[in-house]
Amino acid sequence: MESKSSTNLVDQFVCPGDVVLDLSSMANQTIKLGGGLKQDCDVISVMKAGRLRFAKPNKYWVENSQKRYVPHAEDSVLGIVVDSRSDNFLVDIKGPTLAFLPVLAFEGGTRRNIPRFEIGTLLYARVVKAIPGMNPELACTDASGKAAEFGALKGGYMFECTSGLSRMLLSSPTCPVLDALGKKVSFEIAVGLNGRVWVNAASPPTTIIVVNAITNSETLSAAQQRIMVEKLLQRIQ
């Protein structure tokens, strides 16, 4: 039986043992492997179930819905302040180790205007460095040094979900559940790739509806997500 090539396996569901690349037919190409894949002689095979993803020019990885978060540079995450030190805050981002957030890693950060965060403060931050075996480093700015949407999140409700649901919520174009909700109710949302989501609406019932819609949406098709949102919204009309 002829095996599938990597090109028609990209974005498909793969299982442990599946061969996704045959290096013997890819002379002079450098391939980068992300999580979920391993090299065995001339073949690249799958180590964990999920969807095979590809990023130009040559990176492959397996994306799956997992509860443990592995930090990567430029990820947006929701972190909880667990300690404060003279040079940085220690932040829980659901990774293998706590992350460091330098006290100067804010827009216009100087020693004179160091922010004060209580333990338990929820922050929306960007992963700046993620080196295996070392504590990740965060910043509350975008790559240009602007605060953008990053910083402390006040009020609202935070819940945890799988990494797969986080990625769906951050997908472009807007995923159906957020599109359907946004047409009927007003709310703020911050989604972390570490499987945390923060929602803030004008009233607790609206917040609960939005949270329920999001948590129900992971296994539904686009049409099912829209129908589910309509049914939930009928409760507050």
Side-chain angles (χ1 to χ4, degrees):
M1 187 175 78
E2 185 179 335
S3 65
K4 294 181 180 178
S5 70
S6 62
T7 50
N8 55 22
L9 277 177
V10 169
D11 295 332
Q12 299 298 311
F13 195 82
V14 292
C15 296
D18 286 354
V19 173
V20 296
L21 287 172
D22 181 355
L23 300 181
S24 63
S25 63
M26 303 175 69
N28 301 321
Q29 288 191 49
T30 303
I31 302 296
K32 289 185 178 179
L33 298 184
L37 297 174
K38 66 174 180 178
Q39 180 175 352
D40 188 7
C41 297
D42 276 347
V43 298
I44 305 299
S45 59
V46 177
M47 294 170 60
K48 64 182 181 183
R51 290 193 185 277
L52 182 67
R53 300 298 193 192
F54 168 74
K56 292 181 179 180
N58 52 16
K59 183 175 180 180
Y60 293 87
W61 73 98
V62 174
E63 181 181 290
N64 69 347
S65 283
Q66 57 190 28
K67 295 202 171 175
R68 180 173 173 271
Y69 169 63
V70 179
H72 294 95
E74 298 308 318
D75 281 359
S76 296
V77 294
L78 287 175
I80 298 168
V81 176
V82 297
D83 200 3
S84 176
R85 297 186 177 170
S86 58
D87 288 332
N88 51 58
F89 300 99
L90 293 182
V91 183
D92 164 27
I93 58 169
K94 282 180 72 177
T97 60
L98 293 174
F100 290 140
L101 172 61
V103 295
L104 301 181
F106 296 83
E107 183 175 359
T110 67
R111 286 283 171 193
R112 288 187 175 182
N113 62 354
I114 289 173
R116 305 283 178 211
F117 294 131
E118 302 276 333
I119 290 172
T121 299
L122 185 64
L123 298 173
Y124 194 43
R126 179 174 63 93
V127 178
V128 178
K129 292 180 187 172
I131 301 169
M134 295 178 66
N135 296 74
E137 184 179 318
L138 307 176
C140 280
T141 62
D142 61 16
S144 67
K146 298 294 183 184
E149 70 270 33
F150 299 111
L153 298 172
K154 295 171 184 172
Y157 176 76
M158 189 273 287
F159 64 97
E160 300 199 347
C161 64
T162 64
S163 58
L165 179 53
S166 286
R167 289 182 185 280
M168 185 188 88
L169 295 171
L170 288 167
S171 62
S172 182
T174 306
C175 72
V177 66
L178 293 184
D179 184 51
L181 285 166
K183 288 175 178 173
K184 297 291 178 70
V185 293
S186 230
F187 63 96
E188 296 176 277
I189 186 169
V191 180
L193 282 169
N194 57 334
R196 283 183 179 147
V197 180
W198 172 83
V199 171
N200 191 24
S203 70
T206 305
T207 300
I208 291 166
I209 293 288
V210 173
V211 170
N212 285 342
I214 290 170
T215 52
N216 292 342
S217 68
E218 185 167 12
T219 58
L220 302 180
S221 68
Q224 289 171 330
Q225 287 181 31
R226 294 183 189 280
I227 293 167
M228 178 264 296
V229 168
E230 288 295 327
K231 287 182 177 176
L232 286 173
L233 289 175
Q234 286 170 7
R235 299 179 187 176
I236 57 171
Q237 287 173 351

